[in-house]
Amino acid sequence: MNMATTKSEDTFSQLFERSHISVIRDQTEIVIEVYCFNKSLAHGKVVEAPETSELKGEWLDVSLNEIIDVFDPWER
């Protein structure tokens, strides 16, 4: 049995245990609270973003390949 997993498979499994993700948009890290996800996308609300981006409060769909970190807010 092959034990190697892809980055998206690893990210998918982490989403069951943690509630927030970070991604890069317009060369800036934003934080999204995840409300639902599947094996290819995560859907959530932007909770941290630069004011100039006007993304805070927006709902976004993010490819699992775009995710740079999966965490709970108290871990940071």
Side-chain angles (χ1 to χ4, degrees), residues 7-33:
K7 179 183 183 299
S8 63
E9 289 171 333
D10 186 47
T11 300
F12 178 73
S13 64
Q14 290 180 46
L15 287 170
F16 284 101
E17 300 171 5
R18 295 182 171 83
S19 61
H20 287 64
I21 59 174
S22 61
V23 299
I24 301 294
R25 287 288 160 94
D26 298 324
Q27 300 176 343
T28 306
E29 182 180 8
I30 63 170
V31 175
I32 299 170
E33 183 175 3

